[in-house]
């Protein structure tokens, strides 16, 4: 147990600058979104933007598009913005593929030269992933709370903050899903770049499949196999759908990835 803790501290030290800078930027971004949402609300801009939406876009995207062009939609934008999600998924992939890097650099030989079971290497990485998710989403939630409490109307702030914990939980599980998938691939790969590239391509494919399926109905059965399909952020903002089923699916995917990582790493040839 002490050796596992030492490994965790070593990994955290190597990633601390990236994690702290990322957390600060995410918090600042959420504060800026709160400022933007309040400015648009004061100028009464949302109704004008809604009127400009063509009818065919309303039919394709339904109420989701209208949800985006609202105070809550703008204030919570960081929780479903493509760039933010891509960055966080990439960060999870980078951290989860550390075991493959240790194999590639032969650093794992030095680790296992000590009386340390292989499972602790995977446990270290899972713990680091959970801490990364907690830090990143905690910073986003804090930034949203500071921005809304400081600038926004009290009633609007209260209604928006009510959906933030659910958004954070669902996004956190989505990130752990991709962390689990990346870790499972890293536990059988000999090169970090291979595991990271495969996971990145898989994530991009799943995201594009889920995005296109929203407009092209024949692709919807395939989109059900994408973890992104179970992160319905806009529906969570409106409270129009329960998240229990989606949370369960995301938790199962993450747990399966972590379990496979334990099994693959335990019996692989090092």
């Amino acid at each position: 147990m002490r050796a596992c803790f030492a490994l965790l501290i070593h990994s955290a030290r190597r990633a601390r600058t990236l994690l702290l800078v990322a957390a600060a930027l995410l918090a600042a971004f959420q504060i800026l979104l709160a400022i933007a949402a309040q400015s648009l609300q004061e100028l009464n801009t949302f109704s004008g933007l809604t009127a400009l939406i063509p009818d065919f876009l309303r039919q394709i995207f339904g109420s989701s598009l209208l949800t985006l062009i609202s105070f809550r939609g703008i204030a919570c934008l960081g929780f479903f913005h493509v760039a933010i999600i891509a960055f966080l998924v990439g960060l999870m992939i980078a951290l989860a593929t550390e075991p493959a890097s240790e194999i590639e650099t032969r650093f794992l030989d030095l680790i296992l030269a000590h009386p340390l079971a292989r499972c602790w290497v995977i446990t270290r990485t899972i713990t680091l992933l959970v801490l990364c998710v907690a830090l990143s989403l905690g910073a986003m939630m804090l930034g949203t709370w500071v921005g809304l409490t400081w600038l926004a109307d009290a009633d609007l702030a209260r209604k928006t903050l009510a959906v933030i914990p659910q958004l954070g939980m669902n996004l956190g599980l989505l990130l752990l899903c991709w962390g689990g998938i990346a870790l499972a691939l890293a536990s059988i790969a000999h090169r970090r770049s291979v595991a990271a590239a495969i996971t990145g391509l898989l994530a991009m494919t799943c995201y594009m499949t889920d995005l296109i399926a929203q407009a092209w109905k024949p692709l919807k059965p395939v989109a059900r196999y994408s973890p992104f399909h179970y992160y319905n952020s806009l529906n969570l903002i409106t409270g129009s759908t329960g998240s229990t089923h989606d949370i369960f699916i995301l938790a199962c995917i993450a747990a399966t990835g972590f379990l496979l990582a334990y099994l693959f790493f335990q019996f692989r040839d090092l």
Side-chain angles (χ1 to χ4, degrees):
M1 186 66 178
R2 183 177 299 178
C4 178
F5 183 73
L7 270 179
L8 177 62
I9 295 299
H10 177 265
S11 298
R13 283 179 177 174
R14 290 199 298 180
R16 67 182 183 276
T17 302
L18 173 61
L19 295 180
L20 292 175
V21 172
L25 290 176
L26 290 171
F29 183 66
Q30 290 302 119
I31 294 176
L32 291 176
L33 288 177
I35 296 173
Q38 181 61 24
S39 299
L40 292 174
Q41 181 69 23
E42 291 176 351
L43 295 174
N44 196 24
T45 308
F46 292 118
S47 58
L49 292 175
T50 303
L52 295 176
I53 300 176
D55 291 335
F56 76 93
L57 287 180
R58 294 173 184 265
Q59 295 176 359
I60 292 176
F61 295 102
S63 60
S64 298
L65 192 59
L66 300 178
T67 301
L68 177 60
I69 310 176
S70 65
F71 180 89
R72 274 198 286 184
I74 298 299
C76 299
L77 182 62
F79 289 90
F80 55 89
H81 195 283
V82 176
I84 300 298
I85 292 180
F87 169 75
L88 290 175
V89 170
L91 182 59
M92 297 298 288
I93 293 174
L95 295 176
T97 52
E98 187 175 15
S101 174
E102 292 171 341
I103 294 173
E104 186 177 0
T105 60
R106 310 309 301 175
F107 180 70
L108 191 64
D109 293 343
L110 179 61
I111 295 175
L112 296 181
H114 298 78
L116 178 70
R118 291 189 182 188
C119 63
W120 290 116
V121 176
I122 302 299
T123 301
R124 176 278 316 268
T125 306
I126 294 175
T127 305
L128 185 62
L129 292 176
V130 173
L131 291 176
C132 173
V133 169
L135 177 64
S136 301
L137 296 183
M140 293 177 67
M141 295 170 71
L142 178 62
T144 305
W145 180 82
V146 169
L148 293 178
T149 304
W150 177 31
L151 297 167
D153 176 76
D155 186 55
L156 289 173
R158 178 180 55 81
K159 292 180 179 179
T160 303
L161 291 174
V163 302
I164 293 299
Q166 198 171 30
L167 277 172
M169 179 183 295
N170 280 258
L171 179 56
L173 286 172
L174 176 67
L175 297 177
L176 289 177
C177 281
W178 288 108
I181 293 171
L183 183 56
L185 291 173
S187 64
I188 59 176
H190 289 278
R191 294 183 179 276
R192 186 179 202 170
S193 58
V194 173
I198 292 175
T199 309
L201 289 173
L202 183 60
M204 184 178 68
T205 302
C206 288
Y207 182 81
M208 294 301 297
T209 301
D210 181 64
L211 183 64
I212 296 173
Q214 296 179 18
W216 191 40
K217 293 183 178 180
L219 200 58
K220 282 190 174 182
V222 180
R224 293 183 180 275
Y225 295 99
S226 168
F228 293 106
H229 179 75
Y230 301 98
Y231 180 53
N232 300 306
S233 53
L234 295 179
N235 290 333
L236 290 173
I237 292 175
T238 60
S240 60
T241 181
S243 61
T244 305
H245 175 264
D246 294 337
I247 287 176
F248 177 75
I249 296 296
L250 292 174
C252 286
I253 296 174
T256 301
F258 293 148
L259 178 60
L260 290 176
Y262 275 114
L263 294 176
F264 292 157
F265 196 76
Q266 182 67 32
F267 297 105
R268 69 166 294 168
D269 182 16
L270 298 176

